[in-house]
Amino acid sequence: MSFSANHNSFPKPISVQTDRMDEIDQLGSSFNWMIQQLEDSRKREYEEELLRHRLIANLSHDLRTPLTILRGHINRLNKESMSLEGQDSLAEMNHTITRVGDLMDDLLSYTLLTSGKHPFHPTSTDIVRLVRASVAAWYPAFEEKEILLDVDLPTEKTFYWEADPKWMTRVLDNLFQNILRHAAEGKYTNIVVDVEKELIIVADRGPGMDNSSYEGGSGIGLSTSKYMLKKMKLKADITSNFNGTRVAIGRSST
């Protein structure tokens, strides 16, 4: 039993002499029954997990058609003459459809990730270079929202993590996307790479993660990021209040 606990496996059934069934054999029979129940429970859990992943994948696919139809009707109504209030309502509907589509993508991505469908290829990764490339890719989006980017990236020093570059880029994409969705009103984002402490720090001056906008839309993306970071033996320390949100990504102690 100690071996099984240390190796995350169930113990093997033990031999029982059914012809005599003394106290030791009765204990062995109960022990074997317990093992069988545990194995059956794990099998059911695995099958339920597969079913849940399949249902989420099918649901994400099936919902795209009605969303596309709704967007088509909105585009048609936009060509009709209507009041300013009507135009505002259509714009909000169009925004909501886009948001639902993004949430479906996040949910499908998380489902594929946790079921092992996303390849994981860790390699020695230049973190300063990776962050610089991500900031450059997102700069036009921040500029469009008139968000001031306060970037502090070393020009000569760097450090390396054994990480999957695509996964790390996805984590940063999620952080930057959340700022645009939920913290754009703060008009400020601070992005720092601390070489000495081996930290990536992303901070904003939005309303914080306790506001309804964050609670309604960032949970799946954050769960995906935390899962990826854990697989890469990294972690994200998040501090958030009404003055803004700060995320510090560094090595995990475990």
Side-chain angles (χ1 to χ4, degrees), residues 181-200:
R181 288 177 179 173
H182 310 291
E185 62 191 78
K187 300 297 182 183
Y188 176 84
T189 298
N190 181 221
I191 302 170
V192 178
V193 174
D194 189 327
V195 174
E196 302 302 325
K197 297 181 179 179
E198 293 196 4
L199 289 176
I200 302 172

Side-chain angles (χ1 to χ4, degrees), residues 30-114:
S30 298
F31 181 74
N32 291 343
W33 178 86
M34 179 188 68
I35 294 173
Q36 185 62 50
Q37 294 299 308
L38 291 173
E39 289 178 343
D40 291 345
S41 177
R42 175 176 286 184
K43 182 179 179 181
R44 286 195 302 270
E45 182 180 354
Y46 175 73
E47 292 173 348
E48 290 170 358
E49 186 72 13
L50 287 179
L51 178 60
R52 183 161 54 252
H53 288 165
R54 192 177 301 116
L55 287 174
I56 291 175
N58 291 339
L59 180 62
S60 298
H61 179 269
D62 292 342
L63 285 177
R64 295 189 185 281
T65 298
L67 288 178
T68 301
I69 293 173
L70 285 173
R71 194 184 295 278
H73 284 292
I74 289 175
N75 291 335
R76 182 180 300 175
L77 288 172
N78 273 325
K79 298 176 182 178
E80 305 289 336
S81 79
M82 62 179 62
S83 66
L84 290 176
E85 290 80 2
Q87 294 175 11
D88 290 341
S89 293
L90 287 179
E92 183 60 32
M93 290 170 63
N94 194 46
H95 173 75
T96 301
I97 290 173
T98 299
R99 188 72 194 99
V100 172
D102 290 342
L103 286 171
M104 287 164 43
D105 289 339
D106 288 344
L107 180 59
L108 180 59
S109 178
Y110 181 75
T111 301
L112 293 175
L113 181 70
T114 54

